[in-house]
């Protein structure tokens, strides 16, 4: 109708949907998946259980979990022709660009996953994606390492299998390192969903045109890539490296971050919703100490990060704007200790966020949400007569 249109840049005050999946309270720093506290899930659950919880709404029974894993294992093969697409990329291609392309290419190899007009068809498309995405992540990684692009082992757990595909060496028997697996389970759980963030809103709006699950996820990967969003975990490490190269001069970078004329921001700090500590950052910070300790890794970058955090938490500019470390501030330090290269950090974020994107896409489709099509306030030219080329 001709109702009043109010502009809300970045949708800071706009609710795009009703959802029963994730609850977060920015003031109190609370995050819950389907009512369960993130602290409990990170401590006691596996990533596969959290995947099931987010998508289907309940923690799975042992029977349900067994069947879910079996259904996924049945689909954990990716058509070898997908490698022709990977071969087409230069070695230095950013893994997020490769991954979003491969996810979109999955459509061609799984055409039945596009039109999902039954819960059965939806389940099949979801299980296929949960099975094939980790393979695509591993193959994307091995585009850079030069290691073979092969498959996992269905006898392993979901996360153990991902670690095997990423880290195993072709000439050595793969033995999962429990410290690495526990850290990955926790990190992937902590990244799994976060209500209507930029990439999830992207997945919902692409899905609202019924473009299909894989096209929606591919779009979500592109949105997550940005340094203001998931790309921040890569930007944090690059910033910490720069500070280290600069003799650990955190004061210089704090000054840059506060200088309005300088586009530099303190990466890993601030959040649209959390105006308190990001509960995920708290857990990851503790995990970083544990993992580096157990792996015997001494990383000066961690000390620089802690120094930077301490300074920012005492600096009026950050305190007044309620800028606290967010999920991306410490996660990269753990990924680095696990031997994951910085270009792959945001891919690890996408791997964790996949179930959240799927759950939100499924909820949007089951609720028959309308196609996303916002309005605008026109501020351009009034009507004007056409001018021929000669007279311009
Ligand atoms: C994620 O939405 C989600 O849930 C995202 C996420 C998820 O799980 O999906 O949590 C994951 O993306 C975490 C955020 C990762 N991004 C970064 O770490 C990049 C650095 N952070 C900022 O770019 C920023 O804080 C955002 C993008 C996270 C939030 O931006 P907003 O809400 O649009 O806030 P804003 O840009 O309006 O900033 C408010 C003020 C401004 O100053 P003033 O104009 O009021 O003087 O705070 C300043 C900003 O300049 N500010 C910063 C800053 N973040 C905000 N100043 C220096 N360094 C920063 N990091």
């Amino acid at each position: 109708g001709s109702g009043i249109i109010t502009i809300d840049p970045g949708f800071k005050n706009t609710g795009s949907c009703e959802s029963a999946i994730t609850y977060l309270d920015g003031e109190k720093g609370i995050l819950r998946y389907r009512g369960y506290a993130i602290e409990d899930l990170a401590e006691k659950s596996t990533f596969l259980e959290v995947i099931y919880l987010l998508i289907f709404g309940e923690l799975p029974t042992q029977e349900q979990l067994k069947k879910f894993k079996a259904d996924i294992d049945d689909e954990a093969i990716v058509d070898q022709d997908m490698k022709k697409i990977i071969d087409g990329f230069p070695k230095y291609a950013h893994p997020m660009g490769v991954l979003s392309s491969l996810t979109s290419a999955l459509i061609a190899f799984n055409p039945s996953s596009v039109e999902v007009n039954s819960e059965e068809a939806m389940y099949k498309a979801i299980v296929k994606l949960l099975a094939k995405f980790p393979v695509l992540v591993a193959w994307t990684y091995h585009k850079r390492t030069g290691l073979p692009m092969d498959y996992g082992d269905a006898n392993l757990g979901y996360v153990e299998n991902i670690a095997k595909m990423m880290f195993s060496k072709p000439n050595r028997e793969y033995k999962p390192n429990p410290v690495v697996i526990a850290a990955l389970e926790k990190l992937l759980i902590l990244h799994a969903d976060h209500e209507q963030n930029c990439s999830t809103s992207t997945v919902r709006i692409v899905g609202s045109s019924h473009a299909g699950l894989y096209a929606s996820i591919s779009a979500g990967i592109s949105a997550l890539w940005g340094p203001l969003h998931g790309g921040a975990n890569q930007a944090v490490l690059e910033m910490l490296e720069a500070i280290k190269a600069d003799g650990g001069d955190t004061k210089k970078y704090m000054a840059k971050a506060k200088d309005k004329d300088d586009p530099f921001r303190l990466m890993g700090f601030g959040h649209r919703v959390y105006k308190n500590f990001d509960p995920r950052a708290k857990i990851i910070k503790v995990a970083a100490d544990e993992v580096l300790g157990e792996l015997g890794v001494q990383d000066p970058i961690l000390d620089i990060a802690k120094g930077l955090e301490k300074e920012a938490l005492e600096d009026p500019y950050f305190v007044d704007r309620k800028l606290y470390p967010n999920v991306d501030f410490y996660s990269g330090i753990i990924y680095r200790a696990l031997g994951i290269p910085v270009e792959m950090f945001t891919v690890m974020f996408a791997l964790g966020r996949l179930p959240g994107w799927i759950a939100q896409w499924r909820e949007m489709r089951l609720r028959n949400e309308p196609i996303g099509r916002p309005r605008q306030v026109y501020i351009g030219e009034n009507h004007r007569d056409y001018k021929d080329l000669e007279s311009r």
Side-chain angles (χ1 to χ4, degrees), residues 63 84 89 108 128 133 181 209 219 230 256 263 276 346 361:
E63 268 321 293
K84 292 181 184 143
F89 282 97
K128 275 187 177 173
F133 197 79
I181 301 303
S209 76
K256 278 167 64 74
N276 193 322
T346 312
W361 169 85

Side-chain angles (χ1 to χ4, degrees), residues 41-286:
L41 294 170
E43 199 52 49
K44 301 170 186 154
S45 204
T46 64
F47 183 47
L48 189 59
E49 286 176 273
V50 169
I51 292 175
Y52 190 98
L53 170 68
L54 282 168
I55 297 172
F56 302 110
E58 296 297 332
L59 283 168
T61 62
Q62 283 177 353
E63 268 321 293
Q64 287 166 331
L65 192 60
K66 203 157 145 258
K67 178 180 181 317
F68 192 46
K69 175 76 164 51
D71 291 348
I72 288 172
D73 290 339
D74 286 349
E75 292 291 350
I77 301 296
V78 170
D79 193 303
Q80 290 294 302
D81 281 351
M82 289 281 273
K83 291 184 180 175
K84 292 181 184 143
I85 300 168
I86 299 177
D87 291 346
F89 282 97
K91 217 170 181 61
Y92 51 79
H94 195 290
M96 286 296 273
V98 176
L99 187 61
S100 62
S101 308
L102 293 178
T103 304
S104 195
L106 265 186
I107 302 165
F109 293 90
N110 301 277
S112 64
S113 299
V114 179
E115 201 21 70
V116 282
N117 40 26
S118 74
E119 284 228 37
E120 183 51 35
M122 200 177 269
Y123 178 79
K124 277 203 172 59
I126 288 171
V127 158
K128 275 187 177 173
L129 186 58
L130 289 170
K132 298 179 194 301
F133 197 79
V135 181
L136 298 182
V137 164
W139 289 7
T140 301
Y141 178 32
H142 290 328
K143 170 73 187 176
R144 304 177 82 87
T145 62
L147 284 171
M149 297 179 193
D150 58 16
Y151 297 100
D153 175 351
N155 297 318
L156 295 171
Y158 189 72
V159 172
E160 280 179 340
N161 187 39
I162 292 170
K164 175 185 187 294
M165 289 191 285
M166 286 181 70
F167 305 130
S168 68
K169 296 283 183 290
N171 63 337
R172 294 227 186 293
E173 190 208 345
Y174 172 65
K175 284 201 202 67
N177 175 332
V179 172
V180 169
I181 301 303
L184 281 176
E185 294 275 7
K186 196 171 274 191
L187 280 166
L188 293 168
I189 287 170
L190 290 169
H191 284 82
D193 194 51
H194 214 238
E195 53 132 281
Q196 304 313 315
N197 60 86
C198 176
S199 54
T200 301
S201 300
T202 303
V203 169
R204 277 182 171 259
I205 202 160
V206 171
S208 72
S209 76
H210 291 197
L213 174 59
Y214 301 177
S216 306
I217 299 298
S218 176
I221 295 168
S222 298
L224 187 70
W225 192 354
L228 294 187
H229 190 11
N233 60 15
Q234 173 174 348
V236 166
L237 250 292
E238 287 161 353
M239 172 185 73
L240 294 172
E241 289 282 9
I243 294 174
K244 184 175 152 219
D246 230 341
D249 181 2
T250 50
K251 294 231 173 318
K252 174 178 159 188
Y253 286 81
M254 291 282 287
K256 278 167 64 74
K258 295 187 282 191
D259 177 352
K260 283 294 155 219
D261 299 331
D262 188 330
F264 173 78
R265 287 190 158 192
L266 211 56
M267 301 316 278
F269 267 80
H271 197 279
R272 174 62 59 75
V273 182
Y274 287 126
K275 298 308 170 194
N276 193 322
F277 236 89
D278 181 334
R280 301 166 296 176
K282 263 190 201 160
I283 298 171
I284 294 176
K285 181 179 174 181
V286 170

Side-chain angles (χ1 to χ4, degrees), residues 289-306:
D289 274 328
E290 283 167 3
V291 170
L292 270 67
E294 279 154 7
L295 292 178
V297 170
Q298 283 297 334
D299 190 349
I301 292 280
L302 179 56
D303 303 330
I304 293 176
K306 286 181 177 173

